[in-house]
Amino acid sequence: MSQPTRRTFLEQALLASAAAAATSSLPGVLRAATRRPGANDIIRVGVMGVRGRGRGHVGNFKDSPDAEVIAICDADEGVIAPAMKAVPSAKYYRDIRKMLDNPDIDAISIAAPNHWHSLATIWALQAGKHVYVEKPISHDIYEGRQVVRAAKKYGKVVQHGTQSRSSKATRDAIAWMHEGGLGKVSLAHGLCFKRRESIGKVAGPQQPPSTLDYELWTGPARLEPLQRQNLHYDWHWVFNTGNGDLGNQGVHQMDIARWGLGRNHHPRSVVSVGGRVGYDDDGNTPNSMLSLYDYGDQQILFEVRGLQTGKHMGADIGVIFHGEQGYLVSASYDKVQAFDHDGALLRTFQGGGNHFQVFLDAIKNDAPEAVHASALDGHL
């Protein structure tokens, strides 16, 4: 039997009606949640993917007085111990579809690998759940558009995991820039100078961990033999499941760049060059990449450098906005600074934020539009 394509999975997920909930292709994922949380209710959350970033999701929701983690989900039972220790009363699910069948869950928080983000989001929306989904919101452009459509269709709260959207420093700096603080801004220079080591090279297919349902973990991606030393995390550097650092760390800076330019649409063209240089390993995503996004009178220039690289204008992971009256450097979560062309400090913006609480507040207020990073923001 041939494996279904990613597009087939997503088309089925988006277009199936509630009457099709019992079909074999989408078992149980279209059942509506049984309640609508109110302003005084505790939001009951299920977290998908708890090996790495998902533990942060568990911790953030656990620490909020407005939420309770009642379920966790991961295809690898061998990685769930820390999450279960943090929330010992939570129920464990291996299959996201089984978790979505639970009518007690109000919201799903997704920190699984990139190739699962869109499908899990759409399934959760169809099941009547609100969704917090890690960056990137999709593995490719087609999927992202389906998530935007699904969010609009089902009317639930969807927040994308670009946390800088809730950072006071970044919000205030961009508002100041939009008010003309730098005059006309023509260029946003995004930087992802993040050293990445080689993932090694194997002689042949590897055995997945015995604690893992590898076919379920692969999900909507192509079911291929495991051809690298480490299944976990190194999926970022294989196109079948990841997007390289442009679609990993780089999503945060790309979002700030577009947000800062005030462009709420895709660029009219993109030119990109790069490759995987410096080592020969089992990864196939670029570790060195230069991309130009053309918006006409404004551009985003984005650099990914996975080998050792020094800082540029005080930043290694950040965005530098170039305007008529100076430049603005966003190089940390809670501090952004503006300078004139001679390097003299003009303004300092400071303060953090709680992206997870913004999501919870939007649910409690029944206000999908109140999120700081919408499905459309994530898609763009």
Side-chain angles (χ1 to χ4, degrees):
M1 180 178 177
S2 61
Q3 291 295 320
T5 65
R6 294 177 57 76
R7 180 163 294 196
T8 298
F9 261 87
L10 285 158
E11 287 177 343
Q12 287 176 334
L14 183 61
L15 300 177
S17 67
T23 62
S24 59
S25 60
L26 295 173
V29 299
L30 302 178
R31 299 174 189 170
T34 58
R35 72 169 194 152
R36 190 188 201 108
N40 297 318
D41 290 326
I42 298 297
I43 308 301
R44 299 175 301 211
V45 181
V47 179
M48 178 191 185
V50 294
R51 178 187 172 274
R53 177 61 182 150
R55 294 179 195 171
H57 288 216
V58 170
N60 276 275
F61 287 120
K62 178 176 178 284
D63 291 343
S64 171
D66 296 315
E68 178 186 7
V69 178
I70 68 169
I72 67 167
C73 175
D74 202 293
D76 188 355
E77 192 171 355
V79 304
I80 68 171
M84 291 302 297
K85 182 178 180 181
V87 285
S89 62
K91 183 173 181 179
Y92 166 63
Y93 296 88
R94 175 164 277 183
D95 190 327
I96 176 68
R97 293 166 294 188
K98 299 298 184 183
M99 185 165 72
L100 292 176
D101 276 343
N102 185 342
D104 293 331
I105 296 175
D106 303 310
I108 299 294
S109 192
I110 301 166
N114 294 5
H115 67 286
W116 262 110
H117 289 186
S118 291
L119 183 57
T121 297
I122 293 169
W123 276 356
L125 291 170
Q126 290 178 324
K129 318 297 186 186
H130 304 282
V131 180
Y132 183 108
V133 56
E134 266 301 335
K135 50 76 193 167
I137 204 166
S138 65
H139 194 204
D140 61 38
I141 293 176
Y142 171 83
E143 292 180 0
R145 180 50 58 181
Q146 309 320 308
V147 173
V148 173
R149 290 171 177 167
K152 182 178 180 180
K153 177 177 180 179
Y154 295 103
K156 294 294 182 180
V157 174
V158 178
Q159 177 149 286
H160 186 234
T162 40
Q163 298 94 325
S164 290
R165 288 273 177 166
S166 293
S167 161
K168 184 179 187 302
T170 308
R171 293 176 69 82
D172 289 350
I174 287 181
W176 175 79
M177 193 165 56
H178 286 174
E179 292 166 359
L182 289 179
K184 180 174 175 56
V185 177
S186 58
L187 174 67
H189 187 182
L191 312 176
C192 180
F193 296 173
K194 196 166 188 175
R195 178 72 168 117
R196 299 292 188 181
E197 302 293 340
S198 168
I199 67 171
K201 196 171 184 66
V202 298
Q206 304 296 293
Q207 185 67 32
S210 61
T211 53
L212 172 80
D213 184 331
Y214 183 60
E215 185 168 356
L216 180 61
W217 182 91
T218 304
R222 294 185 306 276
L223 184 58
E224 300 177 338
L226 177 59
Q227 193 71 35
R228 60 182 183 277
Q229 292 176 2
N230 299 314
L231 170 87
H232 295 301
Y233 200 79
D234 286 347
W235 54 260
H236 279 294
W237 323 127
V238 179
F239 273 125
N240 189 40
T241 51
N243 299 82
D245 244 348
L246 183 65
N248 181 35
Q249 175 64 55
V251 176
H252 294 287
Q253 284 65 53
M254 182 66 73
D255 179 60
I256 292 171
R258 184 190 62 80
W259 177 22
L261 292 184
R263 294 291 179 156
N264 294 316
H265 54 83
H266 289 304
R268 63 187 190 182
S269 67
V270 181
V271 177
S272 186
V273 294
R276 195 165 185 85
V277 299
Y279 40 71
D280 178 23
D281 64 6
D282 287 316
N284 58 23
T285 61
N287 67 351
S288 301
M289 191 174 182
L290 179 66
S291 305
L292 180 66
Y293 301 77
D294 181 18
Y295 290 92
D297 60 343
Q298 293 177 308
Q299 282 78 38
I300 295 175
L301 177 66
F302 204 94
E303 293 187 70
V304 173
R305 300 190 189 184
L307 303 178
Q308 191 63 44
T309 306
K311 291 188 177 184
H312 174 63
M313 299 180 73
D316 49 10
I317 298 173
V319 184
I320 302 163
F321 293 94
H322 294 270
E324 292 175 314
Q325 298 169 19
Y327 59 95
L328 185 142
V329 181
S330 171
S332 75
Y333 179 73
D334 56 4
K335 184 177 181 180
V336 179
Q337 294 185 302
F339 304 85
D340 67 18
H341 288 303
D342 294 324
L345 181 65
L346 296 174
R347 291 283 299 270
T348 296
F349 305 88
Q350 292 182 298
N354 190 329
H355 206 48
F356 291 91
Q357 189 62 46
V358 170
F359 172 66
L360 294 170
D361 290 345
I363 295 173
K364 291 170 74 70
N365 294 319
D366 193 22
E369 72 284 354
V371 297
H372 288 169
S374 68
L376 181 58
D377 290 322
H379 174 53
L380 292 176

